[in-house]
């Protein structure tokens, strides 16, 4: 059948149908031919039998006529005798004709020999008849009558008997021929039946072969198409013919190759970050699992470092996304140069990268993290602006902290968030922090209840003018009196409130409480004093905050200039939305703005000059023990000079002793705040302290 597979399907079907048609036409022609032959043979038998019967009947009639005329011949009347002679001659002639017809009908053989016997009996009869006629003509009627009654009559009887025997013989021969013909008909019928069965079997076999030559390739093509549809693009359909199915199989194989290549390209694009060209999260995890699977068990460890670019959102918001993209490309280039060929690395999302590298000992992880930070952090010049690329790193060890890349990555991300929270460059995953996170989760559900049931408290810490010594304002701080755990410091709930989004509810509570306090002081006729309230990064993303705050101030009749909002430098740098628009909206309502913890977020002066702020609060880290280090005094003085040159009031936070106060006074700070002046107090204590302090 291999030659058939090279034929087209329609050619195969046409040939099979033509062959079956020729087979049945041949069978029909053979049957017709045999039926015609049998019919002709039957007709010959019938015709021969009819001819024999006619001849025998003719012979019988003429023999009887001769017998009757012989009686006339015996008459003494010569006239009667003379008249009978022609009739006898005519009857004898008819006998000869009948005998002649018999000789023509009967075939050579025993049947012809029977005819010869009849001829001999006819000859005997005629010889006896001739002798009788001679005696009659001689006038010897007695002898003629005696011969006629004996020999002539006996010869005629023998002749008639021979005729009858021949007729019986011919009848038996005809019956035998008919029986033989019937046997031939039965044999032909069986033969035709067998040929029909053979034709049907051959046709069925041919149809099965042709069908299999079509259906099997189609089935293979169907199975192959299903496997290709399931994504097995490496599968190839076997091509065993050059027909339509074979061409279809080749086309499907070509399609599988093309689709597989396109899907592989799409998968590469989907797994590859278009900006940096680094693997994305899913591919990094897969690469990391392969790397961990290749490490000798128990002989080598690995470290996963999660890297997050600091201040990326602020750079995008102020300088544009092109500047942020430049930062990311720079970090990606450093990462690729450091880990290419020796580790798995990729970009997870935003400004977050990760690298998984094998090390000999876990303490080598800290060395690798320090080396990575040193390599990645660098200065970048962007359109005349100098950008500092700084990163926060989280480290997790395999197999100590997790058994696979995905779990290890989660641990490293937690460590990275901890590094950001603690403002450390590098943090190693601490399993003990899980318990603290569980505690925070339980506090999260309690926090909503605390706001509803007035469990939060407003504490105030005064701010004093360095030059005049007057208390000019206070910073509002939140405290939580938990019904079971007692007083909770802000560090126990503010960070996770910021991460969970609950900080907005706390801010709303603090703003409402501060405005009511200012309204109460005005109603009591107290001297006006500003209250500063801290707002978070999430609050800076709330475009509706200015309108709500204006409505709150108008509701209580409070001068907006008595309310000050403090936002941390880190919050400004990490805000995903543009914080400047919200700050300008707040400033337009008359609310005063301050930058808290200045100096810790590493903001650039180009960014600072765009902010509509009134006050700059120097972080405590620059004030603590400043009197002990002249360089720190010089740094503090330069910060004060920068703030005042921008027209800002400069406040020193965390002043705890007279030496520090002397230094900030010498550096030109406008306001001071710290334990040296007073600790945070609740409202009754603050009002009492204010009255005592004058």
């Amino acid at each position: 059948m291999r030659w058939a597979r090279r034929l087209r399907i329609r050619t195969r079907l046409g040939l099979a149908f033509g062959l079956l048609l020729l087979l049945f036409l041949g069978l029909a022609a053979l049957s017709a031919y045999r039926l015609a032959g049998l019919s002709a043979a039957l007709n010959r038998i019938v015709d021969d039998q009819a001819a024999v019967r006619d001849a025998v009947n003719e012979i019988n009639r003429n023999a009887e006529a001769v017998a009757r005329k012989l009686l006339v011949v015996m008459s003494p009347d010569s006239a009667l005798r003379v008249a009978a002679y022609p009739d006898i001659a005519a009857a004898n002639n008819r006998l000869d004709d009948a005998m002649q017809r018999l000789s023509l009908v009967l075939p050579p053989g025993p049947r012809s020999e029977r005819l010869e016997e009849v001829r001999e009996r006819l000859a005997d009869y005629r010889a006896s008849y001739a002798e009788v006629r001679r005696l009659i003509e001689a006038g010897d009627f007695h002898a003629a009558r005696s011969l006629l009654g004996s020999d002539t009559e006996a010869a005629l009887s023998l002749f008639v008997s021979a005729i009858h025997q021949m007729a019986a013989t011919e009848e038996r021969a005809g019956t035998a021929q008919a029986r033989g013909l019937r046997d031939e008909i039965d044999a032909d019928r069986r033969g035709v039946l067998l040929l029909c069965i053979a034709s049907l079997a051959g046709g069925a076999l041919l149809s099965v072969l042709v069908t299999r030559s079509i259906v099997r390739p189609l089935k293979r093509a169907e199975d192959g198409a299903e496997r290709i549809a399931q994504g097995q693009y490496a599968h190839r359909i076997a091509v065993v013919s050059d027909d339509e199915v074979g061409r279809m199989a080749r086309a499907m194989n070509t399609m599988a190759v093309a689709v597989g290549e396109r899907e592989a390209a799409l998968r590469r694009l989907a797994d590859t970050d278009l900006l940096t060209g680094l693997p994305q999260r899913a591919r990094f995890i897969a690469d990391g699992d392969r790397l961990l699977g290749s490490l000798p068990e128990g002989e080598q460890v690995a470290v996963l470092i999660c890297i997050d670019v600091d201040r990326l959102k602020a750079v995008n918001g102020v300088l544009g996304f092109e500047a942020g993209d430049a930062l990311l490309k720079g970090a990606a280039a450093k990462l690729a140069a450091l880990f290419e060929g020796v580790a798995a690395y990729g970009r997870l999302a935003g400004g977050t990268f990760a690298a998984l590298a094998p090390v000999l000992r876990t303490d080598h992880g800290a060395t690798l993290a320090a080396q990575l930070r040193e390599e990645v952090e660098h200065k970048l010049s962007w359109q005349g602006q100098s950008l500092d690329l700084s990163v926060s790193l989280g480290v997790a060890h395999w197999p100590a902290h997790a058994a696979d890349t995905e779990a290890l990555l989660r641990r490293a991300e937690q460590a990275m968030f901890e590094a950001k929270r603690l403002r450390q460059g590098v943090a190693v995953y601490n399993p003990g922090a899980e318990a603290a996170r569980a505690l925070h989760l339980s506090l999260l559900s309690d926090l909503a209840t605390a706001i509803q049931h007035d469990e939060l408290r407003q504490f105030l810490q005064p701010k004093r003018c360095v030059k005049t010594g007057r208390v000019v304002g206070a910073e509002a701080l939140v405290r939580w009196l938990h019904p079971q755990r007692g007083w909770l410091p802000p560090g126990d709930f503010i960070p996770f409130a910021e991460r969970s989004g609950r900080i907005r509810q706390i801010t709303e509570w603090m703003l409402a409480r501060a405005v009511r306090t200012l309204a109460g002081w005005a109603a009591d006729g107290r001297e006006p004093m500003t209250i500063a309230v801290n707002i978070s990064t999430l609050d800076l993303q709330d475009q509706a905050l200015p309108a709500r705050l204006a409505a709150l101030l108008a509701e209580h009749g409070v001068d907006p200039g008595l309310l000050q909002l403090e936002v941390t430098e880190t919050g400004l740098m990490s805000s995903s939305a543009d914080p400047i628009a919200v700050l300008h909206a707040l400033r337009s309502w008359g609310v005063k703005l301050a930058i808290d913890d200045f100096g810790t977020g590493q903001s650039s002066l180009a960014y600072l000059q765009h902010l509509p702020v009134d006050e700059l609060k120097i972080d405590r880290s620059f004030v603590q023990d400043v009197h002990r280090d002249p360089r720190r005094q010089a740094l503090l003085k330069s910060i004060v000079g920068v703030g005042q040159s921008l027209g800002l009031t400069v406040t020193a936070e965390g002043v705890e002793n007279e030496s520090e106060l002397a230094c900030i006074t010498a550096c030109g700070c406008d306001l001071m705040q710290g334990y040296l002046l007073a600790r945070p107090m609740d409202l009754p204590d603050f009002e009492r302290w204010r009255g005592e302090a004058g």
Side-chain angles (χ1 to χ4, degrees):
M1 291 296 293
R2 291 184 177 179
W3 62 270
R5 292 172 182 167
R6 293 192 291 269
L7 300 176
R8 293 186 176 183
I9 292 177
R10 61 182 181 183
T11 305
R12 261 181 274 169
L13 292 175
L15 289 176
F17 178 76
L19 183 59
L20 289 176
L21 184 60
L22 289 175
L23 185 61
F24 281 104
L25 287 176
L27 182 60
L30 177 62
S31 300
Y33 173 75
R34 288 296 299 162
L35 286 175
L38 293 174
S39 178
L42 181 60
N43 290 333
R44 285 195 301 272
I45 292 174
V46 172
D47 292 343
D48 290 347
Q49 290 295 312
V52 170
R53 283 196 302 272
D54 291 344
V56 169
N57 290 334
E58 183 70 19
I59 291 171
N60 284 333
R61 286 194 300 272
N62 288 292
E64 290 177 357
V66 170
R68 287 193 300 269
K69 294 300 181 180
L70 286 178
L71 295 177
V72 177
V73 172
M74 295 300 298
S75 175
D77 189 353
S78 60
L80 293 174
R81 290 197 305 273
V82 172
Y85 288 149
D87 293 335
I88 293 174
N92 286 330
N93 289 333
R94 288 193 295 273
L95 283 175
D96 290 338
D97 291 339
M99 292 297 293
Q100 183 64 31
R101 289 196 300 272
L102 281 176
S103 65
L104 294 175
V105 173
L106 296 178
R111 294 168 63 187
S112 297
E113 293 175 0
R114 179 69 66 177
L115 180 60
E116 291 299 324
E117 182 180 353
V118 172
R119 284 197 180 98
E120 291 177 1
R121 295 293 180 268
L122 179 60
D124 291 343
Y125 155 70
R126 285 182 174 174
S128 179
Y129 166 71
E131 183 63 23
V132 169
R133 183 176 179 182
R134 185 185 66 76
L135 290 174
I136 291 172
E137 291 298 326
D140 191 357
F141 290 99
H142 178 73
R145 188 174 290 113
S146 177
L147 181 60
L148 180 63
S150 58
D151 292 343
T152 303
E153 186 178 357
L156 182 58
S157 296
L158 290 174
F159 170 69
V160 172
S161 177
I163 285 296
H164 289 165
Q165 290 178 359
M166 186 186 70
T169 301
E170 287 303 316
E171 185 176 356
R172 288 193 298 272
T175 302
Q177 286 180 340
R179 187 179 296 110
L181 186 60
R182 185 182 62 190
D183 293 340
E184 288 185 23
I185 292 174
D186 292 340
D188 286 347
R189 183 168 59 248
R190 289 192 296 271
V192 170
L193 181 60
L194 290 176
L195 286 176
C196 288
I197 294 174
S199 298
L200 289 175
L205 178 61
L206 182 61
S207 64
V208 168
L209 293 177
V210 173
T211 302
R212 287 177 62 184
S213 69
I214 298 173
V215 172
R216 282 190 172 181
L218 282 176
K219 180 61 177 174
R220 284 194 293 268
E222 180 183 0
D223 295 340
E226 290 181 357
R227 296 180 65 177
I228 292 172
Q230 294 170 0
Q232 302 179 27
Y233 300 114
H235 175 71
R236 296 294 177 267
I237 302 172
V239 180
V240 297
S241 64
D242 295 328
D243 57 10
E244 292 86 344
V245 178
R247 291 195 295 272
M248 180 188 68
R250 290 191 184 93
M252 292 180 70
N253 287 338
T254 303
M255 178 188 69
V257 172
V259 173
E261 290 176 352
R262 282 195 293 271
E263 183 162 316
L266 290 175
R267 190 179 296 110
R268 287 193 297 270
L269 289 175
D271 293 342
T272 303
D273 178 52
L274 297 180
L275 177 64
T276 63
L278 300 184
Q280 292 187 347
R281 188 183 189 97
R283 182 178 160 195
F284 167 73
I285 291 174
D287 293 345
D289 287 338
R290 283 192 294 271
L291 176 63
L292 295 179
S294 66
L295 297 180
E297 186 176 357
E299 298 181 10
Q300 199 168 11
V301 295
V303 59
L304 195 152
I305 305 174
C306 184
I307 310 109
D308 189 75
V309 177
D310 297 328
R311 300 183 299 111
L312 177 63
K313 295 177 182 178
V315 172
N316 287 335
V318 177
L319 301 180
F321 286 98
E322 292 184 357
D325 291 346
L327 279 179
L328 295 178
K329 289 180 181 179
K334 295 288 186 178
L335 199 65
L338 186 63
F339 290 109
E340 180 67 33
V342 298
Y345 57 92
R347 181 188 178 192
L348 304 181
T352 305
F353 300 84
L356 176 65
V359 293
L360 296 178
R361 297 194 311 270
T362 55
D363 56 348
H364 289 177
T367 304
L368 182 61
Q371 180 184 0
L372 174 61
R373 188 182 182 199
E374 182 179 352
E375 288 288 335
V376 171
E377 289 187 338
H378 64 285
K379 287 187 177 295
L380 179 68
S381 178
W382 172 256
Q383 296 182 354
Q385 298 288 341
S386 179
L387 303 178
D388 291 330
L389 176 58
S390 62
V391 294
S392 298
L393 277 64
V395 179
H397 299 124
W398 176 86
H401 294 154
D404 57 73
T405 306
E406 186 171 6
L408 198 65
L409 180 58
R410 289 198 299 269
R411 305 290 190 269
E413 286 176 325
Q414 292 173 8
M416 182 267 294
F417 293 138
E418 190 70 10
K420 283 186 172 294
R421 188 181 70 84
L422 299 176
R423 298 176 183 176
Q424 297 177 347
V426 182
V428 180
Y429 171 72
N430 180 14
E434 293 289 344
R437 279 189 288 272
L439 175 61
H440 289 166
L441 288 177
S442 65
L443 288 177
L444 182 61
S445 60
D446 295 342
L447 184 57
T449 305
I451 297 174
Q452 295 175 0
H453 294 87
D454 200 25
E455 296 176 7
L456 300 182
R457 297 289 184 270
Q458 174 187 252
F459 275 52
L460 299 174
Q461 185 175 26
K463 293 163 51 176
R464 188 177 71 185
C465 177
V466 174
K467 294 179 180 179
T468 64
R470 292 179 61 252
V471 176
V472 296
E475 180 180 358
L477 304 171
V478 65
R479 298 293 186 265
W480 183 2
L481 182 58
H482 196 280
Q484 284 83 33
R485 299 173 181 172
W487 287 104
L488 294 178
D492 286 352
F493 62 93
I494 291 297
F496 78 84
E498 291 179 340
R499 292 193 297 270
S500 65
R502 300 277 188 185
I503 193 63
R504 285 185 174 181
Q505 296 172 293
I506 296 178
T507 301
E508 292 286 343
W509 184 90
M510 288 290 294
L511 289 173
R513 184 55 56 92
V515 170
R516 286 200 299 268
T517 300
L518 289 172
W521 287 346
D524 294 341
R526 296 179 183 270
E527 183 180 355
M529 180 186 298
T530 62
I531 294 182
V533 178
N534 290 281
I535 60 174
S536 68
T537 304
L538 290 177
D539 297 317
L540 291 176
Q541 301 172 12
D542 186 1
Q543 300 294 326
L545 175 63
R548 290 202 312 273
L549 186 55
L552 179 64
L553 291 168
E555 177 185 356
H556 292 85
V558 174
D559 179 9
L562 297 178
L563 181 66
Q564 186 179 56
L565 301 182
E566 294 185 2
V567 58
T568 63
E569 182 186 12
T570 303
L572 288 172
M573 296 295 102
S574 60
S575 177
S576 59
D578 183 7
I580 297 180
V582 176
L583 294 178
H584 275 292
L586 292 170
R587 192 70 179 83
S588 66
W589 288 104
V591 176
K592 295 185 178 300
L593 302 174
I595 296 180
D596 195 14
D597 301 335
F598 182 79
T600 59
Q602 302 178 358
S603 61
S604 65
L605 295 178
Y607 183 71
L608 183 61
Q609 68 183 355
H610 289 87
L611 300 177
V613 296
D614 305 284
E615 183 177 338
L616 197 67
K617 299 185 71 175
I618 301 175
D619 186 71
R620 181 179 181 276
S621 60
F622 292 93
V623 176
Q624 186 178 18
D625 296 331
V626 66
H627 58 284
R628 300 181 185 275
D629 190 346
R631 292 179 300 177
R632 297 183 64 184
Q633 296 173 21
L635 178 60
L636 179 61
K637 188 173 184 178
S638 65
I639 294 175
V640 173
V642 168
Q644 291 176 345
S645 67
L646 294 175
L648 305 179
T649 299
V650 180
T651 301
E653 293 185 291
V655 180
E656 297 185 354
N657 54 60
E658 294 293 341
S659 299
E660 294 173 350
L661 177 60
C663 285
I664 66 169
T665 301
C667 291
C669 287
D670 299 305
L671 304 177
M672 61 85 63
Q673 179 181 347
Y675 288 172
L676 177 63
L677 178 60
R679 292 177 177 270
M681 299 167 280
D682 61 8
L683 182 58
D685 291 341
F686 178 81
E687 291 177 344
R688 186 167 44 256
W689 175 88
R690 181 184 178 188
E692 294 174 356

